Amino acid sequence: MKKNFKDPKNAEYTSPYEFRGKIPLPQAIPLGLQHVLAMFVGNLTPLMIICGICGITAGDPDLYVTLLQNAMLAAGVITLIQLWSIGPIGGQVPVIMGTSSGFLGVMKGVAASMGGGVVAYSAIIGAAMVGGLCEAILGFFIKPLRKFFPPVVTGTVVLAIGLSLISVGVNSFAGGSGAKDFGSLPNLLLGLLVLVVIVALKHFTKGITSTSCILCGIIVGYIAASIMGLVMPHALTDSEGAAYTASWYVNWGRIAEADWFSVPRILPVKPSFNLHAILSILIMFLVTAVETIGDISGCIEGGMGREATAKELSGGVVCDGVGSFISALFSSLPTTSFSQNVGLVTMTKVVNRMALTCGAVFLVLAGLSPKLAAVISIMPQSVLGGAAVMMFASIAVSGIKLLTKYGITNRVVTIVSIAMGLGFGLGATSGALAGLPEAVQLIFGGSGIVPAAVLAIILNLLIPKEQEDLDHEARANGTPA
């Protein structure tokens, strides 16, 4: 329930439920940190997953720490731009920005096609630069863009993203790609513990423990893995007698070696520009723009009780694109609005810009500390997997929710069936497109997300709407059928 606050004309402070209101710093800081807790792990998870796929986590731990540090800094800076705006960049809306998980499926396909390594990661960064600039330009043309991405299209794409990531989450749950103890009982139990804690806190508690359940689950996983390292052997040997360290072991020594403060490095990974990577990731930037429109609309409607203006939507999408370019300058992954923070705004109604600015400043300060990045870099993959399996599967569920927005008509069933069955199925099946030109294989092979998106867009334009579709659409828009 909202508290009573003094009239701004007669007092220094106003309400946290006003976007431009002024509130005391002791009140703004915890309200801002609540938003950071809700997105902190989600902001770093996509980067951790892609670094693991590219072999950066074990192959170059110093670079890994730098990338994590840069991801926190970029999220803070871009959130500040979204909150306050620089000219047309930024919608001045109560939205927290962070690393997008929507690109994971496509990036996984790019990394696989290029054999992983820093070479693949550099191609991803180059594609993010190009895609970010393209999305920024599209931000000035919101109306023409939106008609190509109704819920049947965005829902299909989000569903494809979620399905493509489930295997990634389970891979981490079992110990991580390449782990010699992959699928071992300690890894599975550790991941299960994290998952159980997350579910328990999310559904059996309220307040900060519920909204930050993922962070709390990972902390419990850290503690459990540390205890396991004290009571269980972690220096193991494989069937051939070669020594290795259990993947669940937490190497706290890496934290002691890290500095407390460091100026972030610009482009620690030099970008390269690969046509396959650019075209694949560019399509996802179009989808991300539509998701940002939805997030901003939901945030304004749920937190401020009105519809978002065209200026807010345009500025928000432009910031999405420019922010992704800025993030790429730090060799981090594309950024977007965070849906979990939209849910937090809707639930608490706290939209105050000062409060959210405090959260953004905390992210900037965290990005200046390699020590904090090192704490995150030593996270066992099974701990990450315990959170990831739920996070990634929930993306697929979000896609289902979008698909049901206008109701499941025969037209929707046809579009989703062909896009998922043919598009996603062929794209995700290795070798299924072997008879097509190499350029087609590079663009549409791998994750299956891109062909599913293309087919959904084409079918939505070609298949006529029947009266049932028009009725559902009218009800969804609140207009007479």
Side-chain angles (χ1 to χ4, degrees):
M1 187 174 181
K2 295 183 180 180
K3 299 178 181 178
N4 294 321
F5 290 87
K6 295 180 180 179
D7 188 333
K9 296 180 180 178
N10 303 317
E12 182 182 359
Y13 299 120
T14 58
S15 166
Y17 309 107
E18 297 176 18
F19 180 69
R20 292 178 172 81
K22 184 179 180 182
I23 61 176
L25 201 58
Q27 185 183 32
I29 290 175
L31 290 176
L33 288 179
Q34 180 174 244
H35 274 281
V36 173
L37 290 174
M39 59 78 69
F40 193 81
V41 175
N43 178 51
L44 297 174
T45 299
L47 179 64
M48 297 166 74
I49 294 290
I50 294 299
C51 283
I53 292 172
C54 292
I56 294 175
T57 53
D60 195 341
D62 290 337
L63 174 60
Y64 185 39
V65 169
T66 297
L67 294 176
L68 289 169
Q69 178 186 352
N70 285 2
M72 291 184 284
L73 176 68
V77 170
I78 299 163
T79 298
L80 289 173
I81 296 174
Q82 186 72 280
L83 290 171
W84 296 89
S85 79
I86 301 175
I89 307 172
Q92 294 194 26
V93 289
V95 167
I96 300 292
M97 307 293 288
T99 308
S100 173
S101 60
F103 291 85
L104 272 176
V106 172
M107 289 179 176
K108 182 185 72 172
V110 170
S113 68
M114 299 186 69
V118 177
V119 173
Y121 192 85
S122 68
I124 290 172
I125 297 303
M129 286 183 167
V130 176
L133 292 177
C134 290
E135 184 186 3
I137 294 172
L138 286 173
F140 294 100
F141 305 96
I142 291 297
K143 288 185 178 179
L145 174 66
R146 292 181 74 174
K147 70 178 182 180
F148 293 106
F149 292 90
V152 67
V153 174
T154 54
T156 300
V157 175
V158 174
L159 177 59
I161 292 170
L163 293 178
S164 71
L165 292 177
I166 289 175
S167 62
V168 178
V170 172
N171 195 305
S172 295
F173 191 95
S177 179
K180 290 191 175 183
D181 59 342
F182 184 83
S184 67
L185 186 60
N187 276 323
L188 296 177
L189 290 177
L190 191 57
L192 184 61
L193 172 65
V194 173
L195 181 59
V196 169
V197 170
I198 290 172
V199 173
L201 292 178
K202 183 175 179 65
H203 294 285
F204 295 95
T205 67
K206 295 181 179 180
I208 192 67
T209 54
S210 179
T211 56
S212 60
C213 59
I214 292 176
L215 179 64
C216 294
I218 286 178
I219 291 173
V220 171
Y222 261 115
I223 295 172
S226 300
I227 295 173
M228 288 166 60
L230 296 175
V231 301
M232 294 173 58
H234 55 269
L236 309 173
T237 55
D238 60 19
S239 57
E240 298 177 355
Y244 69 94
T245 302
S247 61
W248 50 261
Y249 178 68
V250 181
N251 182 11
W252 293 104
R254 203 182 295 173
I255 300 174
E257 298 169 358
D259 296 328
W260 281 104
F261 175 81
S262 174
V263 177
R265 291 160 52 193
I266 300 295
L267 289 177
V269 176
K270 304 299 180 185
S272 61
F273 299 94
N274 177 278
L275 184 61
H276 164 221
I278 290 172
L279 292 177
S280 298
I281 291 174
L282 187 58
I283 292 176
M284 288 311 305
F285 268 103
L286 296 175
V287 176
T288 297
V290 178
E291 289 181 327
T292 298
I293 291 170
D295 281 344
I296 293 175
S297 299
C299 193
I300 297 296
E301 179 68 34
M304 302 172 75
R306 63 174 176 82
E307 292 186 5
T309 65
K311 183 178 179 180
E312 288 171 334
L313 293 175
S314 177
V317 174
V318 171
C319 182
D320 216 41
V322 172
S324 293
F325 182 82
I326 294 173
S327 187
L329 290 178
F330 289 101
S331 296
S332 192
L333 303 182
T335 58
T336 190
S337 54
F338 256 57
S339 297
Q340 52 263 58
N341 293 90
V342 173
L344 190 57
V345 166
T346 302
M347 181 177 69
T348 65
K349 310 299 181 184
V350 174
V351 296
N352 184 265
R353 181 162 55 180
M354 282 185 63
L356 272 66
T357 296
C358 288
V361 170
F362 176 83
L363 284 171
V364 171
L365 294 175
L368 298 174
S369 176
K371 187 78 74 175
L372 180 57
V375 171
I376 299 163
S377 72
I378 63 172
M379 182 190 301
Q381 283 290 305
S382 51
V383 172
L384 175 62
V389 289
M390 182 174 177
M391 290 168 61
F392 294 161
S394 68
I395 295 175
V397 175
S398 297
I400 295 172
K401 288 182 177 179
L402 282 170
L403 287 171
T404 57
K405 182 175 182 180
Y406 288 148
I408 301 295
T409 64
N410 290 332
R411 179 177 182 273
V412 171
V413 170
T414 299
I415 293 173
V416 177
S417 298
I418 297 176
M420 294 300 299
L422 183 62
F424 182 83
L426 287 176
T429 304
S430 178
L433 303 177
L436 298 179
E438 185 177 357
V440 176
Q441 294 182 51
L442 289 174
I443 297 170
F444 295 102
S447 68
I449 298 172
V450 174
V454 172
L455 276 177
I457 293 170
I458 294 173
L459 291 171
N460 179 64
L461 293 174
L462 293 180
I463 299 178
K465 295 180 181 178
E466 298 181 0
Q467 187 59 48
E468 186 180 7
D469 299 288
L470 296 173
D471 291 344
H472 283 305
E473 186 174 340
R475 282 195 294 268
N477 294 330
T479 56

